[in-house]
PDB file of all heavy atoms in Angstrom:
ATOM      1  N   VAL A   1       0.820  -1.218   0.000  1.00  0.00           N
ATOM      2  CA  VAL A   1       0.000   0.000   0.000  1.00  0.00           C
ATOM      3  C   VAL A   1       0.851   1.263   0.000  1.00  0.00           C
ATOM      4  O   VAL A   1       0.428   2.300  -0.517  1.00  0.00           O
ATOM      5  CB  VAL A   1      -0.953  -0.010   1.225  1.00  0.00           C
ATOM      6  CG1 VAL A   1      -0.158   0.081   2.533  1.00  0.00           C
ATOM      7  CG2 VAL A   1      -1.976   1.106   1.116  1.00  0.00           C
ATOM      8  N   TYR A   2       2.080   1.183   0.531  1.00  0.00           N
ATOM      9  CA  TYR A   2       2.962   2.351   0.548  1.00  0.00           C
ATOM     10  C   TYR A   2       3.379   2.757  -0.855  1.00  0.00           C
ATOM     11  O   TYR A   2       3.770   3.907  -1.093  1.00  0.00           O
ATOM     12  CB  TYR A   2       4.192   2.069   1.413  1.00  0.00           C
ATOM     13  CG  TYR A   2       4.853   0.731   1.146  1.00  0.00           C
ATOM     14  CD1 TYR A   2       5.793   0.554   0.134  1.00  0.00           C
ATOM     15  CD2 TYR A   2       4.497  -0.392   1.911  1.00  0.00           C
ATOM     16  CE1 TYR A   2       6.367  -0.664  -0.111  1.00  0.00           C
ATOM     17  CE2 TYR A   2       5.078  -1.628   1.658  1.00  0.00           C
ATOM     18  CZ  TYR A   2       6.013  -1.760   0.653  1.00  0.00           C
ATOM     19  OH  TYR A   2       6.575  -2.989   0.398  1.00  0.00           O
ATOM     20  N   PHE A   3       3.297   1.832  -1.819  1.00  0.00           N
ATOM     21  CA  PHE A   3       3.521   2.158  -3.229  1.00  0.00           C
ATOM     22  C   PHE A   3       2.190   2.368  -3.950  1.00  0.00           C
ATOM     23  O   PHE A   3       2.102   3.140  -4.902  1.00  0.00           O
ATOM     24  CB  PHE A   3       4.302   1.060  -3.938  1.00  0.00           C
ATOM     25  CG  PHE A   3       5.784   1.093  -3.689  1.00  0.00           C
ATOM     26  CD1 PHE A   3       6.510  -0.081  -3.550  1.00  0.00           C
ATOM     27  CD2 PHE A   3       6.461   2.296  -3.601  1.00  0.00           C
ATOM     28  CE1 PHE A   3       7.885  -0.050  -3.322  1.00  0.00           C
ATOM     29  CE2 PHE A   3       7.832   2.346  -3.379  1.00  0.00           C
ATOM     30  CZ  PHE A   3       8.543   1.167  -3.241  1.00  0.00           C
ATOM     31  N   THR A   4       1.167   1.656  -3.501  1.00  0.00           N
ATOM     32  CA  THR A   4      -0.138   1.735  -4.153  1.00  0.00           C
ATOM     33  C   THR A   4      -0.697   3.145  -4.119  1.00  0.00           C
ATOM     34  O   THR A   4      -1.207   3.645  -5.131  1.00  0.00           O
ATOM     35  CB  THR A   4      -1.134   0.774  -3.479  1.00  0.00           C
ATOM     36  OG1 THR A   4      -0.637  -0.566  -3.559  1.00  0.00           O
ATOM     37  CG2 THR A   4      -2.492   0.850  -4.151  1.00  0.00           C
ATOM     38  N   ILE A   5      -0.592   3.800  -2.983  1.00  0.00           N
ATOM     39  CA  ILE A   5      -1.168   5.149  -2.846  1.00  0.00           C
ATOM     40  C   ILE A   5      -0.523   6.146  -3.812  1.00  0.00           C
ATOM     41  O   ILE A   5      -1.241   6.829  -4.556  1.00  0.00           O
ATOM     42  CB  ILE A   5      -1.070   5.631  -1.386  1.00  0.00           C
ATOM     43  CG1 ILE A   5      -1.987   4.777  -0.509  1.00  0.00           C
ATOM     44  CG2 ILE A   5      -1.452   7.108  -1.278  1.00  0.00           C
ATOM     45  CD1 ILE A   5      -1.885   5.085   0.977  1.00  0.00           C
ATOM     46  N   PRO A   6       0.813   6.272  -3.835  1.00  0.00           N
ATOM     47  CA  PRO A   6       1.393   7.225  -4.806  1.00  0.00           C
ATOM     48  C   PRO A   6       1.130   6.849  -6.256  1.00  0.00           C
ATOM     49  O   PRO A   6       0.947   7.727  -7.104  1.00  0.00           O
ATOM     50  CB  PRO A   6       2.893   7.197  -4.488  1.00  0.00           C
ATOM     51  CG  PRO A   6       3.128   5.971  -3.684  1.00  0.00           C
ATOM     52  CD  PRO A   6       1.854   5.717  -2.952  1.00  0.00           C
ATOM     53  N   ILE A   7       1.080   5.545  -6.565  1.00  0.00           N
ATOM     54  CA  ILE A   7       0.765   5.128  -7.935  1.00  0.00           C
ATOM     55  C   ILE A   7      -0.643   5.567  -8.301  1.00  0.00           C
ATOM     56  O   ILE A   7      -0.880   6.097  -9.400  1.00  0.00           O
ATOM     57  CB  ILE A   7       0.915   3.603  -8.081  1.00  0.00           C
ATOM     58  CG1 ILE A   7       2.397   3.200  -8.068  1.00  0.00           C
ATOM     59  CG2 ILE A   7       0.260   3.121  -9.377  1.00  0.00           C
ATOM     60  CD1 ILE A   7       2.637   1.704  -8.046  1.00  0.00           C
ATOM     61  N   MET A   8      -1.596   5.379  -7.397  1.00  0.00           N
ATOM     62  CA  MET A   8      -2.972   5.794  -7.651  1.00  0.00           C
ATOM     63  C   MET A   8      -3.065   7.301  -7.838  1.00  0.00           C
ATOM     64  O   MET A   8      -3.802   7.786  -8.702  1.00  0.00           O
ATOM     65  CB  MET A   8      -3.875   5.339  -6.502  1.00  0.00           C
ATOM     66  CG  MET A   8      -4.081   3.842  -6.427  1.00  0.00           C
ATOM     67  SD  MET A   8      -4.994   3.325  -4.938  1.00  0.00           S
ATOM     68  CE  MET A   8      -6.593   4.099  -5.213  1.00  0.00           C
ATOM     69  N   VAL A   9      -2.323   8.055  -7.043  1.00  0.00           N
ATOM     70  CA  VAL A   9      -2.339   9.521  -7.148  1.00  0.00           C
ATOM     71  C   VAL A   9      -1.804   9.960  -8.517  1.00  0.00           C
ATOM     72  O   VAL A   9      -2.382  10.832  -9.176  1.00  0.00           O
ATOM     73  CB  VAL A   9      -1.504  10.163  -6.024  1.00  0.00           C
ATOM     74  CG1 VAL A   9      -1.310  11.657  -6.274  1.00  0.00           C
ATOM     75  CG2 VAL A   9      -2.169   9.938  -4.674  1.00  0.00           C
ATOM     76  N   ILE A  10      -0.705   9.333  -8.955  1.00  0.00           N
ATOM     77  CA  ILE A  10      -0.111   9.677 -10.254  1.00  0.00           C
ATOM     78  C   ILE A  10      -1.066   9.341 -11.391  1.00  0.00           C
ATOM     79  O   ILE A  10      -1.268  10.146 -12.316  1.00  0.00           O
ATOM     80  CB  ILE A  10       1.230   8.936 -10.443  1.00  0.00           C
ATOM     81  CG1 ILE A  10       2.270   9.461  -9.455  1.00  0.00           C
ATOM     82  CG2 ILE A  10       1.734   9.108 -11.875  1.00  0.00           C
ATOM     83  CD1 ILE A  10       3.544   8.631  -9.413  1.00  0.00           C
ATOM     84  N   VAL A  11      -1.665   8.154 -11.337  1.00  0.00           N
ATOM     85  CA  VAL A  11      -2.593   7.740 -12.399  1.00  0.00           C
ATOM     86  C   VAL A  11      -3.809   8.656 -12.431  1.00  0.00           C
ATOM     87  O   VAL A  11      -4.247   9.096 -13.505  1.00  0.00           O
ATOM     88  CB  VAL A  11      -3.030   6.276 -12.195  1.00  0.00           C
ATOM     89  CG1 VAL A  11      -4.135   5.900 -13.189  1.00  0.00           C
ATOM     90  CG2 VAL A  11      -1.835   5.340 -12.353  1.00  0.00           C
ATOM     91  N   LEU A  12      -4.363   8.962 -11.252  1.00  0.00           N
ATOM     92  CA  LEU A  12      -5.541   9.835 -11.192  1.00  0.00           C
ATOM     93  C   LEU A  12      -5.216  11.233 -11.703  1.00  0.00           C
ATOM     94  O   LEU A  12      -5.994  11.828 -12.466  1.00  0.00           O
ATOM     95  CB  LEU A  12      -6.060   9.911  -9.757  1.00  0.00           C
ATOM     96  CG  LEU A  12      -7.318  10.764  -9.541  1.00  0.00           C
ATOM     97  CD1 LEU A  12      -8.474  10.209 -10.374  1.00  0.00           C
ATOM     98  CD2 LEU A  12      -7.691  10.804  -8.064  1.00  0.00           C
ATOM     99  N   ALA A  13      -4.055  11.771 -11.300  1.00  0.00           N
ATOM    100  CA  ALA A  13      -3.644  13.093 -11.768  1.00  0.00           C
ATOM    101  C   ALA A  13      -3.471  13.103 -13.284  1.00  0.00           C
ATOM    102  O   ALA A  13      -3.809  14.092 -13.955  1.00  0.00           O
ATOM    103  CB  ALA A  13      -2.339  13.512 -11.080  1.00  0.00           C
ATOM    104  N   SER A  14      -2.959  12.003 -13.836  1.00  0.00           N
ATOM    105  CA  SER A  14      -2.782  11.910 -15.287  1.00  0.00           C
ATOM    106  C   SER A  14      -4.123  11.912 -16.006  1.00  0.00           C
ATOM    107  O   SER A  14      -4.300  12.592 -17.024  1.00  0.00           O
ATOM    108  CB  SER A  14      -2.003  10.637 -15.636  1.00  0.00           C
ATOM    109  OG  SER A  14      -0.739  10.626 -15.013  1.00  0.00           O
ATOM    110  N   ILE A  15      -5.079  11.154 -15.468  1.00  0.00           N
ATOM    111  CA  ILE A  15      -6.409  11.092 -16.085  1.00  0.00           C
ATOM    112  C   ILE A  15      -7.083  12.463 -16.057  1.00  0.00           C
ATOM    113  O   ILE A  15      -7.647  12.924 -17.053  1.00  0.00           O
ATOM    114  CB  ILE A  15      -7.286  10.058 -15.363  1.00  0.00           C
ATOM    115  CG1 ILE A  15      -6.710   8.648 -15.565  1.00  0.00           C
ATOM    116  CG2 ILE A  15      -8.728  10.116 -15.862  1.00  0.00           C
ATOM    117  CD1 ILE A  15      -7.395   7.579 -14.739  1.00  0.00           C
ATOM    118  N   VAL A  16      -7.009  13.121 -14.906  1.00  0.00           N
ATOM    119  CA  VAL A  16      -7.630  14.450 -14.756  1.00  0.00           C
ATOM    120  C   VAL A  16      -6.992  15.453 -15.711  1.00  0.00           C
ATOM    121  O   VAL A  16      -7.691  16.248 -16.359  1.00  0.00           O
ATOM    122  CB  VAL A  16      -7.504  14.938 -13.298  1.00  0.00           C
ATOM    123  CG1 VAL A  16      -7.951  16.394 -13.181  1.00  0.00           C
ATOM    124  CG2 VAL A  16      -8.332  14.063 -12.369  1.00  0.00           C
ATOM    125  N   SER A  17      -5.660  15.428 -15.806  1.00  0.00           N
ATOM    126  CA  SER A  17      -4.974  16.375 -16.689  1.00  0.00           C
ATOM    127  C   SER A  17      -5.330  16.132 -18.155  1.00  0.00           C
ATOM    128  O   SER A  17      -5.504  17.083 -18.928  1.00  0.00           O
ATOM    129  CB  SER A  17      -3.460  16.281 -16.495  1.00  0.00           C
ATOM    130  OG  SER A  17      -2.964  15.020 -16.901  1.00  0.00           O
ATOM    131  N   LEU A  18      -5.468  14.854 -18.545  1.00  0.00           N
ATOM    132  CA  LEU A  18      -5.817  14.544 -19.927  1.00  0.00           C
ATOM    133  C   LEU A  18      -7.247  14.959 -20.263  1.00  0.00           C
ATOM    134  O   LEU A  18      -7.555  15.306 -21.405  1.00  0.00           O
ATOM    135  CB  LEU A  18      -5.641  13.043 -20.190  1.00  0.00           C
ATOM    136  CG  LEU A  18      -4.206  12.543 -20.313  1.00  0.00           C
ATOM    137  CD1 LEU A  18      -4.160  11.026 -20.320  1.00  0.00           C
ATOM    138  CD2 LEU A  18      -3.550  13.086 -21.581  1.00  0.00           C
ATOM    139  N   ILE A  19      -8.122  14.944 -19.270  1.00  0.00           N
ATOM    140  CA  ILE A  19      -9.520  15.296 -19.504  1.00  0.00           C
ATOM    141  C   ILE A  19      -9.763  16.795 -19.421  1.00  0.00           C
ATOM    142  O   ILE A  19     -10.466  17.372 -20.258  1.00  0.00           O
ATOM    143  CB  ILE A  19     -10.433  14.563 -18.492  1.00  0.00           C
ATOM    144  CG1 ILE A  19     -10.382  13.050 -18.734  1.00  0.00           C
ATOM    145  CG2 ILE A  19     -11.878  15.063 -18.603  1.00  0.00           C
ATOM    146  CD1 ILE A  19     -11.140  12.243 -17.697  1.00  0.00           C
ATOM    147  N   LEU A  20      -9.148  17.443 -18.424  1.00  0.00           N
ATOM    148  CA  LEU A  20      -9.485  18.836 -18.134  1.00  0.00           C
ATOM    149  C   LEU A  20      -8.489  19.872 -18.652  1.00  0.00           C
ATOM    150  O   LEU A  20      -8.877  21.004 -18.957  1.00  0.00           O
ATOM    151  CB  LEU A  20      -9.646  19.018 -16.617  1.00  0.00           C
ATOM    152  CG  LEU A  20     -10.725  18.165 -15.943  1.00  0.00           C
ATOM    153  CD1 LEU A  20     -10.751  18.454 -14.448  1.00  0.00           C
ATOM    154  CD2 LEU A  20     -12.093  18.426 -16.569  1.00  0.00           C
ATOM    155  N   LEU A  21      -7.220  19.502 -18.745  1.00  0.00           N
ATOM    156  CA  LEU A  21      -6.206  20.515 -19.033  1.00  0.00           C
ATOM    157  C   LEU A  21      -5.734  20.568 -20.479  1.00  0.00           C
ATOM    158  O   LEU A  21      -4.991  21.480 -20.854  1.00  0.00           O
ATOM    159  CB  LEU A  21      -4.991  20.296 -18.113  1.00  0.00           C
ATOM    160  CG  LEU A  21      -5.256  20.377 -16.614  1.00  0.00           C
ATOM    161  CD1 LEU A  21      -3.960  20.177 -15.838  1.00  0.00           C
ATOM    162  CD2 LEU A  21      -5.909  21.704 -16.246  1.00  0.00           C
ATOM    163  N   VAL A  22      -6.126  19.596 -21.287  1.00  0.00           N
ATOM    164  CA  VAL A  22      -5.655  19.564 -22.683  1.00  0.00           C
ATOM    165  C   VAL A  22      -5.998  20.848 -23.452  1.00  0.00           C
ATOM    166  O   VAL A  22      -5.158  21.352 -24.207  1.00  0.00           O
ATOM    167  CB  VAL A  22      -6.224  18.332 -23.415  1.00  0.00           C
ATOM    168  CG1 VAL A  22      -5.934  18.412 -24.909  1.00  0.00           C
ATOM    169  CG2 VAL A  22      -5.614  17.063 -22.832  1.00  0.00           C
ATOM    170  N   PRO A  23      -7.217  21.416 -23.297  1.00  0.00           N
ATOM    171  CA  PRO A  23      -7.510  22.657 -24.037  1.00  0.00           C
ATOM    172  C   PRO A  23      -6.571  23.812 -23.695  1.00  0.00           C
ATOM    173  O   PRO A  23      -6.350  24.697 -24.521  1.00  0.00           O
ATOM    174  CB  PRO A  23      -8.952  22.981 -23.617  1.00  0.00           C
ATOM    175  CG  PRO A  23      -9.522  21.668 -23.209  1.00  0.00           C
ATOM    176  CD  PRO A  23      -8.389  20.942 -22.555  1.00  0.00           C
ATOM    177  N   TYR A  24      -6.027  23.798 -22.482  1.00  0.00           N
ATOM    178  CA  TYR A  24      -5.149  24.891 -22.052  1.00  0.00           C
ATOM    179  C   TYR A  24      -3.673  24.561 -22.274  1.00  0.00           C
ATOM    180  O   TYR A  24      -2.851  25.467 -22.423  1.00  0.00           O
ATOM    181  CB  TYR A  24      -5.392  25.185 -20.575  1.00  0.00           C
ATOM    182  CG  TYR A  24      -6.845  25.401 -20.236  1.00  0.00           C
ATOM    183  CD1 TYR A  24      -7.607  24.371 -19.667  1.00  0.00           C
ATOM    184  CD2 TYR A  24      -7.472  26.606 -20.509  1.00  0.00           C
ATOM    185  CE1 TYR A  24      -8.951  24.560 -19.368  1.00  0.00           C
ATOM    186  CE2 TYR A  24      -8.818  26.802 -20.212  1.00  0.00           C
ATOM    187  CZ  TYR A  24      -9.537  25.775 -19.647  1.00  0.00           C
ATOM    188  OH  TYR A  24     -10.861  25.959 -19.363  1.00  0.00           O
ATOM    189  N   MET A  25      -3.346  23.273 -22.282  1.00  0.00           N
ATOM    190  CA  MET A  25      -1.954  22.831 -22.467  1.00  0.00           C
ATOM    191  C   MET A  25      -1.941  21.663 -23.457  1.00  0.00           C
ATOM    192  O   MET A  25      -1.953  20.499 -23.051  1.00  0.00           O
ATOM    193  CB  MET A  25      -1.335  22.418 -21.127  1.00  0.00           C
ATOM    194  CG  MET A  25      -1.293  23.533 -20.094  1.00  0.00           C
ATOM    195  SD  MET A  25      -0.626  22.960 -18.497  1.00  0.00           S
ATOM    196  CE  MET A  25       1.060  22.551 -18.986  1.00  0.00           C
ATOM    197  N   PRO A  26      -1.926  21.949 -24.748  1.00  0.00           N
ATOM    198  CA  PRO A  26      -2.000  20.888 -25.766  1.00  0.00           C
ATOM    199  C   PRO A  26      -0.850  19.890 -25.706  1.00  0.00           C
ATOM    200  O   PRO A  26      -0.953  18.804 -26.283  1.00  0.00           O
ATOM    201  CB  PRO A  26      -1.963  21.678 -27.088  1.00  0.00           C
ATOM    202  CG  PRO A  26      -2.433  23.052 -26.733  1.00  0.00           C
ATOM    203  CD  PRO A  26      -1.934  23.297 -25.345  1.00  0.00           C
ATOM    204  N   ILE A  27       0.232  20.232 -25.030  1.00  0.00           N
ATOM    205  CA  ILE A  27       1.385  19.323 -24.972  1.00  0.00           C
ATOM    206  C   ILE A  27       1.163  18.160 -24.013  1.00  0.00           C
ATOM    207  O   ILE A  27       1.891  17.163 -24.038  1.00  0.00           O
ATOM    208  CB  ILE A  27       2.652  20.099 -24.553  1.00  0.00           C
ATOM    209  CG1 ILE A  27       3.911  19.279 -24.898  1.00  0.00           C
ATOM    210  CG2 ILE A  27       2.618  20.434 -23.063  1.00  0.00           C
ATOM    211  CD1 ILE A  27       5.195  20.014 -24.665  1.00  0.00           C
ATOM    212  N   ILE A  28       0.132  18.246 -23.177  1.00  0.00           N
ATOM    213  CA  ILE A  28      -0.120  17.223 -22.162  1.00  0.00           C
ATOM    214  C   ILE A  28      -0.255  15.817 -22.754  1.00  0.00           C
ATOM    215  O   ILE A  28       0.355  14.866 -22.251  1.00  0.00           O
ATOM    216  CB  ILE A  28      -1.361  17.591 -21.318  1.00  0.00           C
ATOM    217  CG1 ILE A  28      -0.982  18.682 -20.304  1.00  0.00           C
ATOM    218  CG2 ILE A  28      -1.917  16.360 -20.584  1.00  0.00           C
ATOM    219  CD1 ILE A  28      -2.120  19.136 -19.423  1.00  0.00           C
ATOM    220  N   PRO A  29      -1.043  15.612 -23.832  1.00  0.00           N
ATOM    221  CA  PRO A  29      -1.160  14.243 -24.375  1.00  0.00           C
ATOM    222  C   PRO A  29       0.159  13.684 -24.882  1.00  0.00           C
ATOM    223  O   PRO A  29       0.328  12.466 -24.958  1.00  0.00           O
ATOM    224  CB  PRO A  29      -2.154  14.412 -25.531  1.00  0.00           C
ATOM    225  CG  PRO A  29      -2.899  15.659 -25.219  1.00  0.00           C
ATOM    226  CD  PRO A  29      -1.920  16.559 -24.537  1.00  0.00           C
ATOM    227  N   ILE A  30       1.099  14.558 -25.223  1.00  0.00           N
ATOM    228  CA  ILE A  30       2.376  14.096 -25.752  1.00  0.00           C
ATOM    229  C   ILE A  30       3.311  13.602 -24.656  1.00  0.00           C
ATOM    230  O   ILE A  30       4.121  12.704 -24.881  1.00  0.00           O
ATOM    231  CB  ILE A  30       3.063  15.230 -26.552  1.00  0.00           C
ATOM    232  CG1 ILE A  30       2.164  15.664 -27.714  1.00  0.00           C
ATOM    233  CG2 ILE A  30       4.425  14.783 -27.083  1.00  0.00           C
ATOM    234  CD1 ILE A  30       2.717  16.833 -28.505  1.00  0.00           C
ATOM    235  N   LEU A  31       3.164  14.155 -23.458  1.00  0.00           N
ATOM    236  CA  LEU A  31       4.109  13.840 -22.393  1.00  0.00           C
ATOM    237  C   LEU A  31       3.522  13.044 -21.230  1.00  0.00           C
ATOM    238  O   LEU A  31       4.197  12.210 -20.645  1.00  0.00           O
ATOM    239  CB  LEU A  31       4.725  15.139 -21.841  1.00  0.00           C
ATOM    240  CG  LEU A  31       5.630  15.926 -22.793  1.00  0.00           C
ATOM    241  CD1 LEU A  31       6.128  17.197 -22.111  1.00  0.00           C
ATOM    242  CD2 LEU A  31       6.800  15.086 -23.262  1.00  0.00           C
ATOM    243  N   VAL A  32       2.262  13.272 -20.902  1.00  0.00           N
ATOM    244  CA  VAL A  32       1.708  12.717 -19.664  1.00  0.00           C
ATOM    245  C   VAL A  32       1.632  11.193 -19.641  1.00  0.00           C
ATOM    246  O   VAL A  32       2.114  10.569 -18.676  1.00  0.00           O
ATOM    247  CB  VAL A  32       0.329  13.337 -19.366  1.00  0.00           C
ATOM    248  CG1 VAL A  32      -0.395  12.548 -18.263  1.00  0.00           C
ATOM    249  CG2 VAL A  32       0.497  14.785 -18.914  1.00  0.00           C
ATOM    250  N   PRO A  33       1.041  10.504 -20.633  1.00  0.00           N
ATOM    251  CA  PRO A  33       0.927   9.039 -20.519  1.00  0.00           C
ATOM    252  C   PRO A  33       2.268   8.339 -20.340  1.00  0.00           C
ATOM    253  O   PRO A  33       2.429   7.508 -19.437  1.00  0.00           O
ATOM    254  CB  PRO A  33       0.260   8.644 -21.849  1.00  0.00           C
ATOM    255  CG  PRO A  33      -0.481   9.863 -22.271  1.00  0.00           C
ATOM    256  CD  PRO A  33       0.389  11.010 -21.864  1.00  0.00           C
ATOM    257  N   GLY A  34       3.239   8.660 -21.186  1.00  0.00           N
ATOM    258  CA  GLY A  34       4.548   8.021 -21.088  1.00  0.00           C
ATOM    259  C   GLY A  34       5.290   8.374 -19.823  1.00  0.00           C
ATOM    260  O   GLY A  34       5.900   7.511 -19.183  1.00  0.00           O
TER     261      GLY A  34
END
C-alpha cells in the first residue's frame, strides 16, 4: 500500500490532466501518458 497510494495519485492526476487541461496545455497528451 505504501507504493499503491502514490501510484494511484499519479494515475488519477494523469487522467484528470488529460480530460481537463488539454484545451489549455496541448502538450499534455504528448508527455503525460509516457
Side-chain angles (χ1 to χ4, degrees):
V1 66
Y2 47 85
F3 281 142
T4 301
I5 293 175
I7 288 173
M8 291 173 64
V9 170
I10 293 170
V11 173
L12 181 60
S14 301
I15 294 172
V16 171
S17 65
L18 286 170
I19 294 174
L20 300 180
L21 300 182
V22 171
Y24 308 100
M25 300 177 65
I27 197 174
I28 283 180
I30 300 176
L31 293 179
V32 167

